[in-house]
Amino acid sequence: VAGGPGGGGGLGRSHALALARDGARVVVNDLRPDLAAAVAAEINATGGQAVAEPTDVADRVAVAAMVARVMQQWARVDALVCNAGLLRDKSFARMDMADFDRVVAVHLGGSANCCHAVWEIMRAQTYGRILLTTSTSGLFGNFGQANYGAAKAAMLGLMNVLHIEGQSTASG
């Protein structure tokens, strides 16, 4: 599962194409259905296997439904690349808190939703890899990116805990 919004362009597209070149079946997730479909078509045209899934990763129910469709079609999820992202840059003093909430919902919430949707699948398979895309804005900060930096820093915490729990077969 790669990207979204973003699996249809930029880094997410690069992830999807590289995974497909290596033989992975790819779910291209992007809020922009036309871009997701274009990347999936590009992969399929070169002999790969891909489907487009224009799902909002901040929507837990929609993510679970997307993963259920993937399981129905391919019966496995071996890797998850969380590359969802959007920017709503503005200094904190001028930031609309709805923009703060949306950025956190997509970056952190979307990553958590996607990870949670595949977690038990990967445990049952006794195999799975998860990649979360973060940013130096989360490590060092960047003017006008309080929302983005906070979400990306929180993703580091999520990654660290999942790394620990993923090593334990008894993790719940």
Side-chain angles (χ1 to χ4, degrees), residues 6-7 26 28 45 49 51 66 87-88 128 151 161-162:
V26 179
V28 182
Q49 295 182 56
V51 295
M66 174 181 64
L87 296 172
R88 297 288 188 269
V161 171
L162 294 182

Side-chain angles (χ1 to χ4, degrees), residues 58-98:
D59 181 338
R60 185 175 299 122
V61 173
V63 168
M66 174 181 64
V67 172
R69 288 188 297 274
V70 170
M71 288 300 291
Q72 184 175 9
Q73 182 168 354
W74 289 328
R76 292 189 66 85
V77 175
D78 292 314
L80 169 68
V81 178
C82 293
N83 188 59
L86 66 130
L87 296 172
R88 297 288 188 269
D89 292 358
K90 209 172 259 189
S91 69
F92 190 68
R94 295 171 194 247
M95 184 175 291
D96 182 329
M97 290 309 288

Side-chain angles (χ1 to χ4, degrees), residues 30-43:
D30 196 298
L31 279 177
R32 302 160 297 187
D34 55 329
L35 295 181
V39 173
E42 184 177 349
I43 290 168

